[in-house]
Amino acid sequence: MSSPQPAFGAMFRELIELGVVEINTESLDAAVERRLKEFWENTSCPRCGHQSVVTWESTDRIWCRDCNFKPVFTYGTPFHEKHLPAGEVLLAFTLYADTLLSINQIAPFLGRAYRTVHAAIRDVEAAVHRGFPVVWSLLDQTIDGPAQVDESGKVCSGYKGQEPPRNSRSRGGSSQTGRSRWRGRHGDQLTLVAACRDSLRVISGQLGIDYSGDLEPVIQEAEDLSQPLGEVWTDGLQAYRQMGFDHRTVVHKERYVSPEGVHINQAECLFSLVQPWLRKFRGLSKQGLEQAAHTFGIVRSLNLADESTESIVDCLVIGAFRNST
Ligand SMILES: [Zn+2]
């Protein structure tokens, strides 16, 4: 026997190898090209700084009338020199962010090298993070009600570059909690902190096994994305630690719902979704894991707000241009 079989995907992989699954990203390629060119028309030239860039439908070159700069429309964005069509970059990111497929499964699905897909996803992810606040603020929606804030148990990326233990008896932690954890190399453990308000989900992954949840960063981010922030609901343990927010923190000690109807069920539900999703990243670096946790919040928010792939394209494009100057 060679490498161990993963728990899922072997049959799917066989179908891919048989050529059953054909990928056609032409419509996505076109959508990304259209959005990028729209942005070029409204942004300043990266070489001379004048807002003089013109584009045409028929060519992938754009042109600055002032300094004669003539790059391709992907210049300075995560789509540039990726050896993948723009739509495929976006497809890779969607499969990564919105399914339980790992990059190890996505790469053969696209028929691309792991490194190529990994690099594309990382760049797209960073751009989406930069662009999301702008796109979120432009959506036609009202975010109100209380913000539920909670800290997860520890999440472990574990066993960097290796398969997790296959025998459940070798798992660390307690299965009685209902959270299956496996212990990895020291330093690979992650604690999640989340804020949920309406359709907004903010997740921050904090490295460490002794991390005592600092809720302030996610509360701040939730406030930035949904001002003004109203009541913050959290549990008693958290409230003790967060003296700075006590004037708007509703404390409850019961596990589920307090007599006043205060609860953090949304946050707990979010953790139950994000934990199995994060388990597919066992090969990632700790920075990659923290970034991935944050990505989950962004994609979950857009899904809960009934937003389409177009909004991810917008996040990406806006984020790309925020970086390119
Ligand atoms: Zn120019």
Side-chain angles (χ1 to χ4, degrees), residues 118-224:
H118 183 267
I121 287 173
R122 289 289 133 197
D123 282 1
V124 167
E125 186 167 53
V128 166
H129 285 201
R130 288 190 298 270
F132 174 71
V134 176
V135 171
W136 187 253
S137 71
L138 295 174
L139 295 181
D140 181 22
Q141 60 173 351
T142 308
I143 302 295
D144 54 16
Q148 298 180 21
V149 183
D150 195 20
E151 170 196 3
S152 75
K154 279 142 195 92
V155 174
C156 182
S157 71
Y159 298 92
K160 224 177 253 180
Q162 297 173 37
E163 290 294 309
R166 304 176 72 195
N167 181 336
S168 63
R169 278 174 302 178
S170 64
R171 285 181 174 181
S174 163
S175 57
Q176 289 173 330
T177 62
R179 286 174 183 155
S180 56
R181 302 170 193 163
W182 23 277
R183 305 189 75 78
R185 215 183 290 160
H186 185 77
D188 275 343
Q189 279 171 308
L190 201 69
T191 304
L192 298 175
V193 184
C196 303
R197 188 181 196 206
D198 222 323
S199 57
L200 178 64
R201 300 289 180 271
V202 179
I203 307 181
S204 165
Q206 306 274 359
L207 201 68
I209 50 173
D210 293 323
Y211 174 75
S212 58
D214 181 4
L215 307 183
E216 193 162 342
V218 293
I219 294 174
Q220 190 60 57
E221 194 175 337
E223 179 159 34
D224 293 343

Side-chain angles (χ1 to χ4, degrees), residues 51-70:
Q51 198 170 314
S52 316
V53 176
V54 286
T55 69
W56 299 270
E57 241 179 76
S58 53
T59 166
D60 61 3
R61 293 279 159 182
I62 60 169
W63 177 54
C64 173
R65 280 171 305 188
D66 271 314
C67 71
N68 209 28
F69 188 39
K70 227 175 167 184

